[in-house]
Amino acid sequence: MFENIVGHEEIKKVLSNAINNNGILHSYLFIGEEGIGKKELAKEFSKAILCTSEEDRPCDICKACREFNTNNNINFSAINEEGSAIKIDQIRNMQNKIAEKPMNSNYKIYLINDVELMTQEAQNCLLKTLEEPPEYIVIILITSNENKVLNTIKSRCLKLYFNNLTNEEVKNILENKFGIENTGNSFLTAVGGSIKKALLIKEKSSEYEQIDKLFDIIKKENLVNFINSASILYENKDDIYNFLDYINILLENKMKEDTYSASKYANCIFIVEEVKKRLRANSNYDMSIDYLLMNIWKEINSEGSSRY
Ligand SMILES: [Zn+2]
């Protein structure tokens, strides 16, 4: 079951056992980083619960599955943030609908995405349903920040912790589901097991390639040319923290490849971190990037290591 979802083997086992042994609980809490497949698995699990096939659920053939796949299964609803929060009115609406029995099914399922965005009132309101759910109700809560979920809610749910995907799993998903190939190690490390991040980076792949290039030329070009080649950093203020994280990963890889200069690259990581601090403290943007490029260039092109 759930073969089409990569990774999360333990959790898939728990959920398929629940389906096969009629052990479906009223409330689940899926916890883990963004972009690793929590929502996808929650939907497959929901589809399997509603599927009317005798075996191999979800079958993707029965009426319930077909309706599910076209977002028309009335026994399944997803609740997402409105504006930047999930508000108490949305939960009250849900509760009104929960009172109505499912149609042509033994179950009715609600999936709440990004539970960390629920207001305190909304969470307290939801608690009432979790405390006394009608027998046919299954509620799946999804969060990437468990700390923002009330303990009283957590204690009512079966908590399932999702691990980040491995680089191998990310590679597999990108190739098979998105047709993205040639994912190098820096790239896979940069995405840190998140498909969402991988797609974001791929969308901006030409920008990331320009950053790769900067590190190809850093030893060949003089400081002025190096800085002139770095317009990508000056012009993309919105992405700068992602770019800086990416630079750190490049530096870490270089440390491994070139152990002789490892301490220089390590010093560069300190410089990157210093620049992040300056930017967070609202230092002048261009000057912070100047500082970054100048100091990294000097460090890499220095005779020995300057700091130690
Ligand atoms: Zn089915």
Side-chain angles (χ1 to χ4, degrees):
M1 205 177 284
F2 309 129
E3 292 89 358
N4 52 343
I5 290 178
V6 176
H8 315 305
E9 298 306 327
E10 288 298 314
I11 293 175
K12 288 196 291 201
K13 209 181 287 170
V14 170
L15 299 179
S16 53
N17 282 343
I19 301 236
N20 292 332
N21 305 323
N22 270 328
I24 297 159
L25 303 174
H26 286 300
S27 40
Y28 294 85
L29 178 57
F30 288 12
I31 303 159
E33 292 294 317
E34 275 190 43
I36 58 173
K38 299 186 301 297
K39 187 173 159 192
E40 235 189 326
L41 184 52
K43 287 178 91 175
E44 281 299 301
F45 179 49
S46 302
K47 196 192 339 179
I49 294 174
L50 298 173
C51 175
T52 55
S53 165
E54 295 293 320
E55 51 208 274
D56 272 344
R57 289 183 283 169
C59 70
D60 282 311
I61 298 167
C62 73
K63 187 162 176 275
C65 280
R66 280 183 286 126
E67 285 174 346
F68 193 98
N69 286 338
T70 52
N71 293 325
N72 288 314
N73 192 312
I74 49 165
N75 296 312
F76 174 82
S77 313
I79 293 173
N80 297 295
E81 64 181 275
E82 275 175 14
S84 56
I86 296 172
K87 300 178 187 105
I88 189 165
D89 287 347
Q90 291 174 268
I91 302 301
R92 287 203 182 114
N93 269 338
M94 176 187 93
Q95 285 168 330
N96 289 336
K97 287 184 211 142
I98 277 178
E100 298 161 15
K101 290 194 171 152
M103 302 267 277
N104 307 320
S105 175
N106 295 324
Y107 292 100
K108 202 166 173 181
I109 304 170
Y110 284 85
L111 185 159
I112 306 183
N113 273 317
D114 302 319
V115 175
E116 69 275 8
L117 299 179
M118 288 179 83
T119 62
Q120 195 89 355
E121 301 80 60
Q123 290 198 38
N124 277 316
C125 185
L126 172 67
L127 192 57
K128 283 178 226 150
T129 305
L130 297 180
E131 280 167 351
E132 285 175 27
E135 49 173 349
Y136 46 82
I137 282 295
V138 178
I139 296 180
I140 305 172
L141 306 173
I142 298 181
T143 186
S144 56
N145 188 352
E146 188 193 359
N147 296 328
K148 293 207 174 146
V149 183
L150 292 180
N151 284 328
T152 41
I153 287 195
K154 283 191 255 182
S155 67
R156 296 273 162 189
C157 299
L158 177 67
K159 285 182 278 181
L160 295 172
Y161 288 91
F162 285 64
N163 290 323
N164 282 4
L165 297 168
T166 63
N167 285 358
E168 210 38 54
E169 286 165 345
V170 170
K171 205 174 158 155
N172 178 341
I173 295 174
L174 291 177
E175 282 179 8
N176 296 325
K177 285 208 170 152
F178 299 97
I180 296 173
E181 303 203 0
N182 302 322
T183 44
N185 271 338
S186 309
F187 173 78
L188 290 171
T189 314
V191 305
S194 166
I195 297 297
K196 199 167 172 182
K197 208 162 177 190
L199 295 176
L200 275 175
I201 293 182
K202 271 293 157 187
E203 205 175 281
K204 304 201 169 207
S205 57
S206 67
E207 276 101 328
Y208 282 89
E209 276 163 24
Q210 289 182 51
I211 294 174
D212 287 336
K213 266 185 212 144
L214 274 181
F215 283 88
D216 292 338
I217 63 166
I218 192 164
K219 282 187 180 169
K220 298 173 201 152
E221 296 289 348
N222 65 35
L223 180 58
V224 175
N225 287 345
F226 177 65
I227 289 182
N228 285 340
S229 309
S231 52
I232 179 75
L233 296 178
Y234 290 99
E235 289 163 8
N236 289 277
K237 208 169 168 176
D238 288 346
D239 288 321
I240 192 64
Y241 289 106
N242 287 334
F243 288 165
L244 292 174
D245 286 340
Y246 187 71
I247 289 174
N248 273 345
I249 288 156
L250 293 177
L251 291 166
E252 279 165 22
N253 286 340
K254 297 228 178 252
M255 275 170 80
K256 286 175 209 149
E257 288 162 15
D258 180 5
T259 46
Y260 179 75
S261 306
S263 65
K264 288 186 180 185
Y265 292 115
N267 286 340
C268 289
I269 292 178
F270 283 115
I271 297 165
V272 172
E273 290 305 312
E274 169 63 25
V275 170
K276 282 190 198 167
K277 250 187 245 162
R278 291 181 180 210
L279 291 172
R280 281 198 203 98
N282 287 322
S283 293
N284 176 284
Y285 185 79
D286 284 357
M287 277 165 65
S288 302
I289 303 300
D290 290 342
Y291 174 92
L292 172 79
L293 295 168
M294 214 162 8
N295 285 290
I296 285 185
W297 187 90
K298 279 186 193 160
E299 183 64 46
I300 301 287
N301 291 294
S302 66
E303 288 296 318
S305 177
S306 57
R307 256 180 224 215
Y308 298 111

